[in-house]
């Protein structure tokens, strides 16, 4: 048994952990990073990156299948999923090498980290001591407590599959459910989504969610909202209740995508670290109730997004404060993205707002791209002209929402953003169009 002293110990090498460790080391601190799996965490190995690689292949499949509408004869189109999966793995592999490079000045220890005290961690029988410990252990798929739950696969399984099922029933029409529904449908899988709430993507702007649901239904995806899944039977039959009536749907595979649960390191409870709904409770500096122990990323349950984890790591290091806004996106086809408050949330807060929409069909660029299906919605405070929210469903939604994030973070008013000259023809012209409709 060895004992080594550090300035900071980070547990977990996802985007919360590895970026924090690299940043701390770059500022001259001695940093140890413990990881029991592969570098990159959920985002790189079982989340954002592999799904985006699959999403790109799905876009190519859809575009190639639709080539005739662009005047291109592409012949017969077929999907070789084994090669799709190989490409995804290659993307992940090369990015993992980049993570190793970024961690050049960090002592990476591979193994299961256990907290022994507020400044001591044990990995593989060795002891590591530091005045600051940052927990970035992430999350794993949640499992519904229903009979037959063990018959379902999760997103981790699907992302490592090299073959696709003929059909799939997806329990949960949240972010993961809609991304997989969209991608699998593009590869020819027969998809049914069962969502408990009245609309898919609960928490998103209702107009955006409805537009995505309509677009995906048009692509042949069956989406049942208000469906309370009660059990899964062998042979992949999913039983659910709809308006009090029993219903069922059969498929060759069932994906459960009903949220994620935190992964807590051993020793945490014994130390008395406070939890909130099972996640590690933190304040705005990412500090737990135990001095010296911090938690960033999914494990604190504040915002289950990779970029939020990275940001929180910077906050935990004291390099910056939390921003007012964190934008997010759903990488479905078409994409959805949002920043700030939804219209419903504004109304619930008693804010006096104006909402304005612009549809992609009104954009020369969208029409030229063959992407007429989409909308931009801007929400403006009627009294102050402040932009309170932006919600987009359509091609390149995630890229477009960034401009509004900058405006909102910097306090740029709706008028000022509207008067900013936008290049013609670009999709971003839809932003001033929507603002103009909000301010009329
Ligand atoms: P989620 O919370 O987004 O959605 C889960 C869905 O399951 C909800 O819509 C919920 O109403 C539904 N549900 C729950 N119980 C049900 C039942 N009995 N029957 C039918 N439906 C039921 O969770 P997720 O999609 O699993 O994603 C997990 C987390 O990961 C989210 O916080 C998400 O933001 C994050 N994530 C983000 C991205 C991204 O940023 N692009 C991608 C993937 C995941």
């Amino acid at each position: 048994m060895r004992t080594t002293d550090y300035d900071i110990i980070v547990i977990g090498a996802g985007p919360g952990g590895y970026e924090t460790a690299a940043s701390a080391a770059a500022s001259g601190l001695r940093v140890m990073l413990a990881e029991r799996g592969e570098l990159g965490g959920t985002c790189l190995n079982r989340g954002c990156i592999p799904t985006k690689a699959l999403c790109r292949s799905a876009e190519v499949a859809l575009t190639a299948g639709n080539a005739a509408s662009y005047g291109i004869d592409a012949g017969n189109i077929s999907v070789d999923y084994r090669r799709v999966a190989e490409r995804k793995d290659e993307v992940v592999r090369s990015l993992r090498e980049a993570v190793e490079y970024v961690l050049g000045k960090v002592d990476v220890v591979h193994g299961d980290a256990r907290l022994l005290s507020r400044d001591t961690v044990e990995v593989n029988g060795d002891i590591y001591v530091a005045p600051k410990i940052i927990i970035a252990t992430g999350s794993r798929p949640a499992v519904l407590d229903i009979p037959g739950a063990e018959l379902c696969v999760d997103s981790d399984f699907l992302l490592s599959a090299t073959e696709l099922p003929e059909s799939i029933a997806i329990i949960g029409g949240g972010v993961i459910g809609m991304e997989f529904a969209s991608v699998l449908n593009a590869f020819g899988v027969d998809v049914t989504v069962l969502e408990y709430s009245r609309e898919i993507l609960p928490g998103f702007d209702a107009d955006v969610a409805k537009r995505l649901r309509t677009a995906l239904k048009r692509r042949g995806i069956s989406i049942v909202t208000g469906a309370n899944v009660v059990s899964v039977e062998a042979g992949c039959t999913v039983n659910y209740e709809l308006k009090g009536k029993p219903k069922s749907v059969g498929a060759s595979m069932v994906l459960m995508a009903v949220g994620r649960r935190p992964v807590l390191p051993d020793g945490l409870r014994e130390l008395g670290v406070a939890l909130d709904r099972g996640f590690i409770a933190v304040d705005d500096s990412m500090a737990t109730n135990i001095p010296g122990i911090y938690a960033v990323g999914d494990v604190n349950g504040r915002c289950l997004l990779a970029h939020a984890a990275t940001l929180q790591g910077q906050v935990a290091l004291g390099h910056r404060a939390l921003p007012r806004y964190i934008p997010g996106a759903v990488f479905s086809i078409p994409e959805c993205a949002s920043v700030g408050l939804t219209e419903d949330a504004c109304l619930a807060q008693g804010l006096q707002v104006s909402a304005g929409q612009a549809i992609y069909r009104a954009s020369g660029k969208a029409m030229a791209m063959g992407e007429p299906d989409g909308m931009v919605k801007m929400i403006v405070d009627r009294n102050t002209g402040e932009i309170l929210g932006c919600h987009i469903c359509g091609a390149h939604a995630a890229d477009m929402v960034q401009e509004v994030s900058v405006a909102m973070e910097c306090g740029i008013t709706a008028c000022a953003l509207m008067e900013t000259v936008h290049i013609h023809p670009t999709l971003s012209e839809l932003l001033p169009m929507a603002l103009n409709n909000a301010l009329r």
Side-chain angles (χ1 to χ4, degrees):
M1 187 181 77
R2 290 182 298 139
T3 300
T4 321
D5 287 330
Y6 286 94
D7 296 314
I8 293 188
I9 293 171
V10 181
I11 307 176
Y18 83 77
E19 297 243 19
T20 307
S23 183
S27 63
L29 299 175
R30 291 167 304 147
V31 185
M32 187 279 256
L33 171 65
E35 170 57 58
R36 66 178 169 202
E38 286 179 301
L39 297 178
T42 300
C43 168
L44 179 52
N45 299 295
R46 297 171 301 282
C48 319
I49 301 302
T51 52
K52 260 77 279 172
L54 292 184
C55 186
R56 181 66 187 135
S57 290
E59 282 170 347
V60 171
L62 287 176
T63 306
N66 200 19
S69 72
Y70 293 88
I72 310 292
D73 183 0
N76 286 335
I77 302 299
S78 66
V79 175
D80 181 345
Y81 192 71
R82 200 166 281 276
R83 277 165 53 205
V84 169
E86 278 169 14
R87 174 182 178 274
K88 165 199 63 129
D89 292 341
E90 190 46 46
V91 171
V92 170
R93 228 186 335 266
S94 66
L95 286 171
R96 205 182 290 127
E97 281 170 19
V99 173
E100 277 169 26
Y101 178 76
V102 164
L103 289 172
K105 289 184 180 159
V106 174
D107 286 348
V108 178
V109 177
H110 292 277
D112 227 324
R114 186 164 59 103
L115 289 160
L116 296 183
S117 73
R118 64 173 58 173
D119 64 0
T120 310
V121 167
E122 179 259 323
V123 190
N124 305 328
D126 291 324
I127 302 296
Y128 301 88
V129 181
K132 189 165 190 166
I133 297 175
I134 300 179
I135 300 167
T137 42
S139 65
R140 60 182 151 72
V143 180
L144 280 181
D145 187 15
I146 54 169
E150 71 284 358
L151 301 170
C152 303
V153 302
D154 58 22
S155 52
D156 293 358
F157 176 91
L158 261 186
L159 285 174
S160 61
T162 50
E163 283 173 31
L164 290 179
E166 255 177 50
S167 58
I168 192 161
I170 301 180
I171 305 176
V175 182
I176 293 182
M178 298 326 293
E179 289 188 353
F180 273 106
S182 171
V183 162
L184 294 175
N185 162 273
F187 292 144
V189 179
D190 188 2
V191 180
T192 302
V193 178
L194 301 167
E195 166 54 43
Y196 179 80
S197 301
R198 281 167 48 193
E199 184 53 277
I200 59 165
L201 298 180
F204 273 71
D205 180 86
D207 288 326
V208 160
K210 184 178 172 197
R211 190 167 271 269
L212 177 66
R213 176 167 52 79
T214 311
L216 294 184
K217 276 193 160 180
R218 216 177 295 133
R219 287 224 328 257
I221 297 175
S222 166
I223 300 177
V224 186
T225 53
N228 181 22
V229 173
V230 290
S231 66
V232 180
E233 289 172 33
C236 291
T237 300
V238 184
N239 300 314
Y240 62 98
E241 289 165 358
L242 188 66
K243 293 182 183 154
K245 293 205 176 97
K247 302 261 182 190
S248 65
V249 62
S252 19
M253 187 181 273
V254 182
L255 167 66
M256 192 174 284
V258 294
R260 296 182 67 87
R261 300 259 56 85
V263 174
L264 303 178
D266 287 346
L268 187 89
R269 288 172 198 275
E270 291 79 348
L271 271 181
V273 174
L275 301 181
D276 177 11
R277 297 166 292 120
F279 294 89
I280 299 179
V282 291
D283 64 15
D284 283 352
S285 63
M286 302 300 125
T288 69
N289 61 318
I290 304 295
I293 299 190
Y294 293 71
V296 303
D298 286 10
V299 76
N300 71 28
R302 282 194 156 206
C303 180
L304 279 74
L305 298 173
H307 48 284
T310 304
L311 158 76
Q312 290 172 5
Q314 296 303 306
V315 174
L317 291 175
H319 289 180
R320 61 165 295 170
L322 281 175
R324 287 176 71 194
Y325 303 102
I326 299 179
V330 185
F331 294 95
S332 44
I333 308 168
E335 273 177 21
C336 297
S338 91
V339 60
L341 296 173
T342 63
E343 191 175 1
D344 286 346
C346 290
L347 297 178
Q349 289 183 25
L351 294 167
Q352 292 186 308
V353 297
S354 286
Q357 294 193 13
I359 54 169
Y360 273 48
R361 204 168 278 283
S363 153
K365 180 65 187 278
M367 294 303 283
M369 288 167 69
E371 297 281 359
D373 201 10
M375 58 149 291
V376 171
K377 178 170 174 180
M378 302 287 308
I379 298 160
V380 178
D381 188 308
R382 235 187 289 159
N383 298 318
T384 63
E386 187 186 353
I387 304 170
L388 297 175
C390 172
H391 309 277
I392 307 176
C393 175
H396 299 286
D399 294 321
M400 275 207 289
V401 93
Q402 320 265 28
E403 175 184 341
V404 186
S405 299
V406 174
M408 289 171 68
E409 202 60 50
C410 298
I412 293 168
T413 62
C415 259
L417 184 60
M418 191 180 71
E419 286 171 2
T420 302
V421 177
H422 286 71
I423 299 169
H424 178 76
T426 58
L427 293 176
S428 299
E429 288 174 293
L430 287 160
L431 300 173
M433 269 192 232
L435 283 171
N436 189 37
N437 289 334
L439 294 173
R440 264 213 297 243

